[in-house]
Amino acid sequence: AEMQQRSARRLLLENALRHALERDQFELYYQPQLSLQDGHVVGAEALLRWHHPELGPVSPAEFIPIAEESGMILAIGEWVLRTAVAQAKRWMDHAAAPISVAVNLSAVQFRQARLPERVMQILDQAGLPPEFLELELTESVAMDAPLAAIEVMDELHARGIRMAIDDFGTGYSSLSYLRKFKVSKLKVDQSFVRDLSEDAESRAIVTAIITLATSMGVKTIAEGVETASQLAFLRLQGCDLVQGYYFSKPLPVGQFEAYMRAQKQN
């Protein structure tokens, strides 16, 4: 009965997902990314939210895998990229200090043909310089076909588009490949950050990631920061950037802009 219920729920979501774009049910929320050097907001991660009129809010953890398996992630992912780039351009035009926007790439998107050209086309149409966009790729996707990943990363890097490795430390990275990846940032997974206070192993892993990144000339960003003690440890280890509920949850555009204004007044 439980399997039947899950199957029915999946079918319901898949059918609803097919019309979500055209019915304008998606929205991007933005989570601030702060520099540990001066505490200023220097970026925002764009996070997809689905508000269905009957089903209510549907978790990305539930609908993203369905979108990936059905192939709908390509259209949805392009909408996310276009929307985030357009928003970054608006902030660049109207904010005193422009910020970069980070967009997650799914495995399906990363493997699609001519990805660098498509990204550049979106940037050119919006009039956003490439340095204000950062594409996030999970460690497992990058390592699934590392030689192909290196080729795509090289092309993106040549066009001035920055890349970050997301969920770093949760997958398996060959260090010989990692040094060939053209990335600007390693993102410390929140599972390690969450356990910093209680778990010596998590502290050792986070310290090792930050040390590795520093030696490679790559910045680190810790996600899922929720407490002052986590923040103090990350600052002590030399982490560059942080994001998490300690500062702000992901916010709709209007609330994010209000957060930015309040930040400037402090």
Side-chain angles (χ1 to χ4, degrees), residues 196-212:
L196 280 177
S197 304
E198 306 86 35
D199 185 24
E201 286 184 1
S202 288
R203 290 195 293 274
I205 289 169
V206 169
T207 302
I209 292 171
I210 294 169
T211 305
L212 173 67

Side-chain angles (χ1 to χ4, degrees), residues 3 25 48 74 176:
M3 286 173 68
Q25 293 170 358
L48 183 60
L74 288 176
S176 64

Side-chain angles (χ1 to χ4, degrees), residues 208-259:
I209 292 171
I210 294 169
T211 305
L212 173 67
T214 304
S215 67
M216 291 170 61
V218 172
K219 288 192 172 182
T220 45
I221 176 165
E223 58 181 346
V225 178
E226 294 182 355
T227 68
S229 63
Q230 291 168 351
L231 182 63
F233 179 84
L234 291 163
R235 181 176 276 122
L236 191 65
Q237 299 308 315
C239 186
D240 299 292
L241 302 153
V242 284
Q243 69 181 86
Y245 277 41
Y246 183 76
F247 304 98
S248 171
K249 63 182 181 181
L251 301 166
V253 172
Q255 290 179 34
F256 181 88
E257 290 170 351
Y259 178 89

Side-chain angles (χ1 to χ4, degrees), residues 156-202:
L156 289 164
H157 182 264
R159 288 168 164 80
I161 299 159
R162 293 174 303 143
M163 290 211 69
I165 299 289
D166 196 9
D167 299 343
F168 191 77
T170 59
Y172 168 73
S173 279
S174 158
L175 295 181
S176 64
Y177 281 127
L178 184 60
R179 68 190 171 89
K180 294 176 185 173
F181 288 162
K182 292 283 199 315
V183 294
S184 61
K185 216 173 277 175
L186 297 183
K187 200 163 190 184
V188 182
D189 187 67
Q190 59 187 341
S191 62
F192 301 125
V193 175
R194 184 175 54 239
D195 297 334
L196 280 177
S197 304
E198 306 86 35
D199 185 24
E201 286 184 1
S202 288

